[in-house]
Amino acid sequence: KAGVTQTPRYLIKTRGQQVTLSCSPISGHRSVSWYQQTPGQGLQFLFEYFSETQRNKGNFPGRFSGRQFSNSRSEMNVSTLELGDSALYLCASSLGDREGVTDTQYFGPGTRLTVL
Amino acid sequence: AQKITQTQPGMFVQEKEAVTLDCTYDTSDPSYGLFWYKQPSSGEMIFLIYQGSYDQQNATEGRYSLNFQKARKSANLVISASQLGDSAMYFCAMREYSGGYQKVTFGTGTKLQVIP
């Protein structure tokens, strides 16, 4: 079974630009979560999508948005990029059992975004 | 209060020795799941092992075992017979279902270095 894939793997943008990152989950997984990882803040939850609906949201400004398609693939968009948005963006997929605490997340390789 | 606490920012272990990485958690939910992930320098988070709050026995997966002490709210990862390839960051995470939402919280990680 193929794992979680993320594209692109590396991105360099300048302040003020916008960026779109893509994530394809493991086949059969309906939940996709996005995380931002920086050396200073660690791993921070951005949002989770399940069946094309945002199910959960972290504490990030509205410049960060996402969506999920009917095939469970997800995209994350960051508008008006700031220097502080430089980070590793990780996508994780899981089956998405709503009440199941056994639901294991499997991560993609990440997209490393550098904002100049 | 921190939901997940990993008190060891960095650790060294001799090759072929066993090592314990500490993790304590804080939750009032009776049902929760505990996860450990490995993150090599390449960036991808690799799922290692899972322990459910109702599991009677400690989880094991190959060289990884989880020392689960529910009363003390600790879920330490034990790696036996360390290998050079075990050098990486290790993250403890907890999944809770509370108030109609699932939430996954990660610790700050422990950097493990295996010495030949």
Side-chain angles (χ1 to χ4, degrees):
Chain A
K1 208 180 227 186
V4 180
T5 58
Q6 290 187 248
T7 56
R9 293 292 311 279
Y10 302 91
L11 262 181
I12 299 176
K13 293 284 187 180
T14 56
R15 278 182 299 172
Q17 287 187 308
Q18 77 164 17
V19 67
T20 299
L21 312 182
S22 181
C23 172
S24 292
I26 292 170
S27 177
H29 285 191
R30 297 168 65 192
S31 169
V32 173
S33 297
W34 289 89
Y35 293 86
Q36 181 196 66
Q37 187 178 30
T38 60
Q41 299 296 318
L43 202 65
Q44 293 187 286
F45 171 72
L46 281 154
F47 29 66
E48 179 199 10
Y49 284 87
F50 178 80
S51 292
E52 302 179 65
T53 301
Q54 188 180 87
R55 185 161 77 171
N56 223 338
K57 188 178 186 305
N59 189 26
F60 275 81
R63 301 185 296 107
F64 292 83
S65 63
R67 59 178 175 168
Q68 187 180 35
F69 302 94
S70 59
N71 61 357
S72 294
R73 189 178 71 86
S74 177
E75 287 182 348
M76 190 193 99
N77 185 76
V78 188
S79 63
T80 319
L81 283 166
E82 301 177 359
L83 294 178
D85 297 334
S86 294
L88 179 67
Y89 290 87
L90 291 162
C91 158
S93 81
S94 67
L95 289 170
D97 179 7
R98 183 172 181 82
E99 298 183 22
V101 293
T102 65
D103 199 29
T104 300
Q105 290 184 320
Y106 295 88
F107 284 80
T111 295
R112 197 167 292 276
L113 172 65
T114 302
V115 182
L116 303 176
Chain B
Q2 293 291 327
K3 283 279 189 178
I4 295 284
T5 303
Q6 294 181 255
T7 57
Q8 307 151 312
M11 287 194 70
F12 291 91
V13 64
Q14 204 76 36
E15 194 178 5
K16 299 180 185 176
E17 296 291 312
V19 64
T20 298
L21 307 184
D22 295 341
C23 172
T24 57
Y25 59 92
D26 182 28
T27 181
S28 56
D29 293 326
S31 178
Y32 52 89
L34 298 159
F35 304 81
W36 276 92
Y37 289 88
K38 171 185 177 182
Q39 188 178 41
S41 56
S42 59
E44 182 172 356
M45 298 276 278
I46 302 166
F47 167 68
L48 295 177
I49 195 167
Y50 163 83
Q51 179 84 45
S53 58
Y54 293 119
D55 292 343
Q56 295 295 314
Q57 293 189 323
N58 288 340
T60 60
E61 288 286 347
R63 294 187 299 110
Y64 304 107
S65 61
L66 205 152
N67 184 1
F68 181 47
Q69 298 187 43
K70 194 170 182 177
R72 298 180 62 183
K73 293 188 175 180
S74 76
N76 299 338
L77 177 71
V78 180
I79 305 175
S80 63
S82 296
Q83 301 172 355
L84 295 178
D86 294 334
S87 294
M89 284 289 290
Y90 288 81
F91 292 91
C92 178
M94 177 172 64
R95 181 186 283 277
E96 307 165 271
Y97 178 72
S98 177
Y101 296 98
Q102 284 213 17
K103 184 178 180 181
V104 180
T105 309
F106 283 81
T108 52
T110 295
K111 184 173 183 177
L112 177 67
Q113 295 184 68
V114 181
I115 305 167

